[in-house]
Amino acid sequence: MIRADRDRCCGSGMCVLICPEVFDQDDSGLVVIDADAVGIADPALLRHAVSCCPGRALSEVDSARTEKSAANERK
């Protein structure tokens, strides 16, 4: 599962470029996630989108509900 913190989103659109079937941007340029598409998307692309987010607005939540954010992965 992927979560987005829209307060942290800077609207760069990297996630959309990497995985357009899951990510989009609203009229304000902030990330929008298609929750239905997350389950069928390539997990490697989703992880790449999370790690490339410059605002660190995306996080991956595993089945144990532990969040792995881009900020934590870069430490």
Side-chain angles (χ1 to χ4, degrees):
M1 186 166 127
I2 302 293
R3 287 195 184 158
D5 181 345
R6 290 171 45 93
D7 290 332
R8 293 186 64 115
C9 180
C10 64
S12 76
M14 290 298 298
C15 56
V16 180
L17 291 172
I18 293 168
C19 197
E21 61 274 10
V22 172
F23 301 103
D24 199 357
Q25 290 173 288
D26 65 12
D27 292 338
S28 300
L30 300 179
V31 65
V32 177
I33 297 175
D34 181 341
D36 294 331
V38 171
I40 57 174
D42 180 345
L45 281 179
L46 290 173
R47 283 190 296 276
H48 185 57
V50 168
S51 69
C52 287
C53 179
R56 295 185 173 118
L58 301 175
S59 58
E60 181 181 4
V61 181
D62 65 22
S63 60
R65 301 266 185 209
T66 305
E67 286 193 33
K68 293 189 258 181
S69 70
N72 290 337
E73 290 177 5
R74 291 180 185 170
K75 287 184 178 178

